[in-house]
């Protein structure tokens, strides 16, 4: 696979990339790292950042135009996400809300699901969370214990999820649950559902973490949560397959956050080294290498 330099910042970026990056950068730099630190330490939500970015169309740039998005792709979305981090204001909630869930709904949602939930994500009217992680399953999603069983035409969900991001802000959550068992492989058959975040029987408990970010982590409990049949995402029993549309997007977008934070740190370091003066010149100035006297060779004459 050949990596196109068009997608690499600083390597002959195309005009549309330059324009998108410059616009997101200018918008997020108006808020600045002080904004991010404030909302992180006080427990506020990064509402102003989310409002600015969605109003400009950046958080829905990768979603279909017919549902309020920009009609571009994850490459363009990753540019936007990277620039928020480069400005010191990483848009973390956009990863699991518009990034993971938006991509899942765009590829596997019904027309009705797209019109309601996907459109809401694209316009910024809705926020969402993605619930897949469990303490006893980890990255082995086949061991998920949260179950969903039929009750008439509805589904009833029971179980719990761990380290679910942004549930305190979410309007809805996409949850992965076991709906059957493959007797040949021994693995669970998984499906995805869309309950409202305030659905009866759904509760959450905050998980204290050392992370200084606005997005909170939670344990989410499903106690006989009733979900109508039209809230099944994709095919029954094929939920894990469909979920990878979002999980693969998450990998790309998290790496974009990391790249942006790295560039932010590098800029801070070089600026400091350029301006910090202990002696003349500044500590980051280029200095000539000292001239060293040559060592004597083995043929040198030594007097004893």
């Amino acid at each position: 696979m050949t990596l196109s330099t068009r997608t690499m910042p600083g390597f002959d970026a195309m005009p549309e990339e330059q324009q998108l990056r410059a616009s997101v950068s200018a918008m997020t730099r108006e808020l600045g790292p002080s904004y991010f630190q404030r909302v992180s330490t006080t427990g506020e939500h990064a509402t102003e950042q989310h409002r600015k970015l969605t109003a400009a169309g950046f958080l829905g740039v990768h979603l279909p135009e017919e549902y309020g998005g920009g009609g571009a792709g994850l490459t363009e979305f990753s540019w936007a996400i990277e620039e928020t981090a480069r400005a010191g204001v990483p848009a973390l909630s956009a990863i699991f809300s518009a990034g993971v869930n938006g991509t899942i709904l765009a590829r596997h949602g019904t027309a009705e699901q797209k019109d309601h939930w996907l459109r809401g994500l694209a316009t910024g009217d809705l926020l969402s969370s993605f619930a897949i992680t469990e303490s006893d399953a980890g990255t082995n999603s086949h061991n998920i214990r949260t179950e969903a069983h039929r009750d008439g035409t509805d589904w009833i969900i029971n179980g719990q999820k761990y380290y679910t991001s942004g549930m305190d802000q979410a309007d809805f959550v996409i949850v992965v649950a076991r709906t059957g068992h493959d007797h040949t492989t021994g693995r669970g058959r998984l499906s995805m559902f869309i309950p409202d975040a305030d659905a009866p029987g759904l509760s959450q408990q905050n998980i204290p973490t050392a992370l200084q970010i606005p997005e909170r982590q939670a344990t989410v409990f499903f106690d006989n949560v009733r979900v109508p049949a039209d809230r099944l995402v994709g095919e029954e029993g094929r939920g894990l397959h469909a979920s990878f549309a979002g999980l693969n997007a998450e990998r790309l977008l998290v790496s974009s956050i990391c790249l942006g934070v790295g560039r932010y740190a590098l800029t801070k370091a070089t600026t400091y080294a350029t301006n910090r003066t202990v002696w003349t010149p500044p500590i980051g100035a280029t200095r000539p290498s000292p001239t060293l006297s040559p060592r004597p060779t083995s043929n040198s004459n030594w007097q004893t």
Side-chain angles (χ1 to χ4, degrees):
M1 180 177 67
T2 301
L3 180 63
S4 171
T5 56
R6 189 176 77 89
T7 63
M8 299 294 289
F11 288 84
D12 299 323
M14 297 293 283
E16 61 269 23
E17 177 183 350
Q18 295 174 342
Q19 183 178 4
L20 187 150
R21 287 183 178 275
S23 298
V24 175
S25 177
M27 189 171 296
T28 48
R29 287 179 192 279
E30 288 180 357
L31 298 172
S34 60
Y35 167 82
F36 187 82
Q37 292 172 2
R38 175 173 61 79
V39 296
S40 297
T41 55
T42 61
E44 298 176 57
H45 297 152
T47 305
E48 184 177 0
Q49 181 192 34
H50 182 265
R51 178 182 56 79
K52 284 177 174 287
L53 292 172
T54 51
F58 294 124
L59 296 191
V61 68
H62 62 303
L63 300 178
E65 288 183 279
E66 59 266 38
Y67 296 105
L74 283 172
T75 297
E76 287 78 6
F77 192 39
S78 71
W79 295 340
I81 293 298
E82 181 189 336
E83 288 302 322
T84 66
R86 188 184 179 191
V89 197
L92 297 168
S93 64
I95 293 179
F96 51 81
S97 188
V100 174
N101 289 348
T103 305
I104 289 173
L105 289 170
R107 296 188 183 180
H108 298 283
T110 65
E112 292 75 16
Q113 290 169 351
K114 292 176 182 179
D115 189 55
H116 181 72
W117 289 290
L118 183 60
R119 187 180 301 279
L121 294 179
T123 60
D125 294 328
L126 296 177
L127 280 170
S128 65
S129 185
F130 182 66
I132 187 171
T133 303
E134 296 185 9
S135 56
D136 294 329
T139 56
N140 185 1
S141 299
H142 295 289
N143 288 341
I144 282 176
R145 294 185 178 181
T146 298
E147 294 183 337
H149 67 270
R150 288 185 181 275
D151 183 38
T153 59
D154 294 344
W155 290 88
I156 305 296
I157 304 175
N158 283 284
Q160 69 181 58
K161 298 294 182 179
Y162 197 51
Y163 272 97
T164 304
S165 302
M167 273 299 297
D168 58 329
Q169 305 179 61
D171 297 289
F172 69 92
V173 56
I174 293 183
V175 56
V176 182
R178 180 190 293 261
T179 53
H181 186 79
D182 189 326
H183 297 286
T184 302
T185 63
R187 295 175 173 178
R189 294 186 182 275
L190 307 179
S191 303
M192 288 193 297
F193 302 90
I194 312 177
D196 294 328
D198 60 353
L202 194 157
S203 61
Q204 57 183 288
Q205 181 177 343
N206 182 60
I207 301 175
T209 69
L211 293 173
Q212 292 270 332
I213 58 175
E215 291 73 20
R216 302 296 180 242
Q217 307 296 317
T219 302
V220 184
F221 304 92
F222 299 86
D223 185 11
N224 291 322
V225 176
R226 182 175 294 273
V227 180
D230 61 3
R231 294 193 178 206
L232 171 70
V233 182
E235 298 178 43
E236 178 185 342
R238 296 274 291 166
L240 185 60
H241 168 76
S243 72
F244 272 97
L247 294 175
N248 288 335
E250 180 185 36
R251 293 185 178 101
L252 171 65
L253 298 173
V254 168
S255 67
S256 298
I257 286 279
C258 294
L259 180 59
V261 169
R263 296 179 71 194
Y264 169 78
L266 183 61
T267 299
K268 292 280 286 186
T270 54
T271 301
Y272 178 82
T274 300
N275 295 292
R276 171 66 169 163
T277 302
V278 180
W279 296 281
T280 303
I283 62 174
T286 303
R287 294 178 173 82
S289 300
T291 302
L292 301 177
S293 300
R295 290 184 175 183
T297 66
S298 57
N299 295 326
S300 298
N301 294 323
W302 292 84
Q303 293 184 357
T304 59

